[in-house]
Amino acid sequence: AQSVTQLGSHVSVSEGALVLLRCNYSSSVPPYLFWYVQYPNQGLQLLLKYTTGATLVKGINGFEAEFKKSETSFHLTKPSAHMSDAAEYFCAVSGNSNSGYALNFGKGTSLLVTP
Amino acid sequence: DAGVIQSPRHEVTEMGQEVTLRCKPISGHDYLFWYRQTMMRGLELLIYFNNNVPIDDSGMPEDRFSAKMPNASFSTLKIQPSEPRDSAVYFCASSLGTGRIYGYTFGSGTRLTVV
């Protein structure tokens, strides 16, 4: 089954510092990968996605992620953290045809940005 | 488009009572998903529909849970009878196609508390 593992349930960075949120996937088929962000008391919002093609994917709010097949990773980065980036971040992988390609989510990483 | 609309935003009920959660997907989206979010288990897929037809309900925890989609613009998730362990945030999401290509659009969720 397709799954993702997010390393680190909590990450703390200083404002202006690099943000790195880790995600590793397991998939028996070419993966379709996603990053979502959840602000308090809100639903999940799509940040970016990888389907095929270019392995470096740019998303909203200055975030980007790189698909590395050899490392089975899809880490999320942002060069300079902003206070407004504080939120919960979820990595997800599309399932296979048996599951209707439904997304399987990681447990999430809570990002704290300190002044 | 107003996005995916869920109601109510918050629900507090007593154990044993029936609870009904509602969802209006984005017009034109042909897939609808119900997820449950808890601290312990993260985001779990409960059930999904394609063109109003339930396709996979293997994530529904017990017979106390049921979901319907009588038309393309409305879905319900019912819990009868409710139990304290059902307390969670329930999300509805919709997508054009399986979501594999474009991802899902999530509603703001319903926070259910069963006392």
Side-chain angles (χ1 to χ4, degrees):
Chain A
Q2 282 62 243
S3 65
V4 293
T5 301
Q6 293 184 241
L7 300 177
S9 58
H10 293 84
V11 171
S12 181
V13 300
S14 299
E15 190 175 19
L18 171 71
V19 175
L20 171 61
L21 304 182
R22 301 178 186 274
C23 174
N24 288 90
Y25 70 89
S26 173
S27 178
S28 57
V29 298
Y32 286 40
L33 296 157
F34 304 80
W35 275 100
Y36 281 82
V37 60
Q38 183 181 28
Y39 298 103
N41 300 314
Q42 294 187 27
L44 281 72
Q45 179 183 359
L46 181 65
L47 266 180
L48 50 80
K49 62 183 185 292
Y50 168 78
T51 54
T52 59
T55 56
L56 182 62
V57 180
K58 296 185 184 300
I60 62 172
N61 301 338
F63 283 93
E64 61 183 36
E66 186 171 10
F67 170 65
K68 292 187 176 180
K69 185 177 178 180
S70 61
E71 299 178 7
T72 61
S73 68
F74 191 57
H75 302 331
L76 182 70
T77 60
K78 182 174 180 178
S80 177
H82 192 272
M83 297 297 288
S84 61
D85 294 328
E88 189 87 12
Y89 291 81
F90 293 90
C91 182
V93 63
S94 176
N96 58 25
S97 58
N98 292 335
S99 66
Y101 305 108
L103 298 187
N104 297 319
F105 288 86
K107 292 291 181 66
T109 297
S110 179
L111 177 65
L112 174 66
V113 182
T114 59
Chain B
D1 199 318
V4 177
I5 299 173
Q6 291 187 246
S7 64
R9 288 296 308 275
H10 302 274
E11 177 79 41
V12 180
T13 191
E14 292 185 347
M15 181 175 61
Q17 296 298 306
E18 177 180 296
V19 176
T20 299
L21 312 181
R22 297 172 175 80
C23 175
K24 176 180 169 54
I26 290 176
S27 177
H29 281 189
D30 54 347
Y31 278 78
L32 183 139
F33 306 83
W34 282 100
Y35 281 83
R36 179 172 68 176
Q37 184 180 38
T38 60
M39 290 291 291
M40 290 296 294
R41 302 173 70 92
L43 277 158
E44 303 173 278
L45 177 65
L46 299 178
I47 185 172
Y48 78 91
F49 296 81
N50 176 214
N51 290 324
N52 314 336
V53 177
I55 303 300
D56 184 0
D57 65 354
S58 60
M60 297 284 261
E62 301 173 31
D63 291 345
R64 298 184 296 105
F65 286 69
S66 63
K68 295 182 179 180
M69 193 166 185
N71 56 62
S73 59
F74 185 65
S75 177
T76 60
L77 178 67
K78 184 178 294 186
I79 308 173
Q80 165 65 17
S82 58
E83 296 183 3
R85 59 193 168 125
D86 301 331
S87 296
V89 181
Y90 291 81
F91 287 104
C92 175
S94 70
S95 67
L96 181 63
T98 62
R100 188 182 189 198
I101 302 298
Y102 303 111
Y104 300 166
T105 300
F106 280 81
S108 297
T110 295
R111 182 176 296 277
L112 173 65
T113 303
V114 183
V115 298

